[in-house]
Amino acid sequence: MIVIADDITGAAEIAGIAFSQGQQVRLLCSGSVCGDTIATNGTTVIATDTRSMTEDEAMAETRRIASQLPPLTSHPSPLTPHLFKKTDSALRGHVIAELSALMEATGCRRAVFLPANPSKGRVIRDGVYYINDTPIADTDFRFDPEFPAKTSVLKERFPDAARHHIFIPDAESEADIKRIIATYNDGHTLFAGAADLFTALLFGNKDESDAPLQRHLPSPPEDTSGLLILCGSTQSKPQDIGIPISPMPREVYDGQEDLGLWDTSQYAAAQSLILTIPYTHRTGKTAAVHLRTMMAAKAKALISQHRPSQLIIEGGATAWATLQALGWTTFEVVRQIAPGVVQLRSACGTLVTLKPGSYPWNTSIPTINR
């Protein structure tokens, strides 16, 4: 299967799911994608970062990636679609524009957009999106700097969906997702959505007990040396694991001072550091770009100086900006630590752990896997 994800943490989440089920998996950043880099066996996951682009840019990039895909004239199996579009389970991104562009490029007659993730308490009930029984517009996602949740009603959030033959059905359980797949999977439908939908498609009509055994790797030793952790999302909350925390100064956050004001000298003594953004009062595209650019630049400087053994990043936009600044574009999946938390190995050997900023850890910070 080929998966196109609109941010890199979502791409890593999908890669981790496929890897945990014994599939051969490659994760590519879109800049490294050309026709001969996309494997037709196993799962190839392509991260595009279109969520951070303008709508016109996102559509153009989606069309460009679609033009590089191998011929998708047959399915790997009658019940497994050949293409999946990974979108955010918090409704962020240029979803309708990208799906319309992808449908046009692939010839799909309709799309099913299912952002619900019942396994994480994210459901659609009577056309309203809930996170742990709270309408999304009443959660912290209303403060998102680029895609604030101003309404919980999906027809209001995506008013052009029906006109583009994009359906957003209710889903409150795994059984609902399986029913939706059975209803719409006719070989001419593009499926798009969150991890629970991808998992159901991966299993097809089989019971999960019939799936390949998940890969279990030994737990790493309890060693927090050589860690650089970037809490780059407004949802990120640093864990207390006994290493220094360096918050972005208010003056840097507000754009009044450059990175020279951000003191990260603690790294030299501790050989580990957590970078955080402790403020949420700026919103909008300009602020979001500024914050991830500052975080990526500070991370690049620290990595160049200290060469940490492992880089851990929360937040897809920050992850993309950082990895692009470093020039790291192709990754081997090492392990899935927890749902959505995936450890990769870069071409230079550094371990990179990615986690969506909107997910809780539900696990301890991963230590070095030697």
Side-chain angles (χ1 to χ4, degrees), residues 7-9 11-12 27-30 47 49 228 230 292-293 295-297 299-300 303 310-331 342 344-348 350-355:
D7 85 327
I8 195 164
T9 52
L27 192 155
L28 307 173
C29 293
S30 58
D49 196 47
L228 178 60
L230 312 184
R292 61 179 173 256
T293 300
M295 183 69 84
K300 181 181 180 181
I303 290 167
Q310 184 175 184
L311 175 63
I312 300 175
I313 313 176
E314 289 191 86
T318 296
W320 181 271
T322 302
L323 297 177
Q324 292 295 301
L326 293 166
W328 299 353
T329 59
T330 303
F331 301 90
V342 179
L344 312 168
R345 192 181 307 279
S346 68
C348 69
T350 302
L351 291 174
V352 180
T353 300
L354 302 180
K355 184 188 81 65

Side-chain angles (χ1 to χ4, degrees), residues 116-259:
N117 249 351
S119 67
K120 297 178 178 63
R122 302 181 179 196
V123 305
I124 303 171
R125 182 185 308 130
D126 297 326
V128 177
Y129 198 85
Y130 294 88
I131 296 179
N132 296 324
D133 292 323
T134 300
I136 190 172
D138 296 330
T139 71
D140 284 349
F141 288 107
R142 68 187 184 275
F143 302 123
D144 186 84
E146 293 185 82
F147 299 98
K150 297 179 180 179
T151 178
S152 304
V153 180
L154 292 176
K155 285 185 178 179
E156 296 174 359
R157 182 70 180 262
F158 305 106
D160 296 332
R163 181 167 61 85
H164 290 283
H165 306 288
I166 298 169
F167 302 93
I168 315 175
D170 284 356
E172 300 186 56
S173 66
E174 179 185 346
D176 287 342
I177 292 176
K178 289 181 176 179
R179 172 184 51 78
I180 290 164
I181 293 171
T183 299
Y184 288 95
N185 194 10
D186 59 359
H188 303 287
T189 299
L190 172 65
F191 285 93
D196 284 3
L197 175 60
F198 174 77
T199 301
L201 288 167
L202 194 65
F203 287 122
N205 66 342
K206 300 180 294 185
D207 267 328
E208 294 190 11
S209 59
D210 296 329
L213 291 176
Q214 293 195 11
R215 301 178 186 178
H216 294 286
L217 298 180
S219 297
E222 294 298 323
D223 181 2
T224 58
S225 64
L227 290 179
L228 178 60
I229 302 173
L230 312 184
C231 295
S233 167
T234 56
Q235 307 295 319
S236 297
K237 300 294 185 290
Q239 289 189 333
D240 183 5
I241 58 172
I243 66 176
I245 297 174
S246 178
M248 179 184 289
R250 173 72 177 259
E251 295 85 352
V252 176
Y253 176 91
D254 286 335
Q256 298 170 354
E257 295 286 347
D258 62 23
L259 283 175

Side-chain angles (χ1 to χ4, degrees), residues 69-82:
L69 299 179
L72 302 174
T73 56
S74 62
H75 289 215
S77 75
L79 293 173
T80 304
H82 52 254

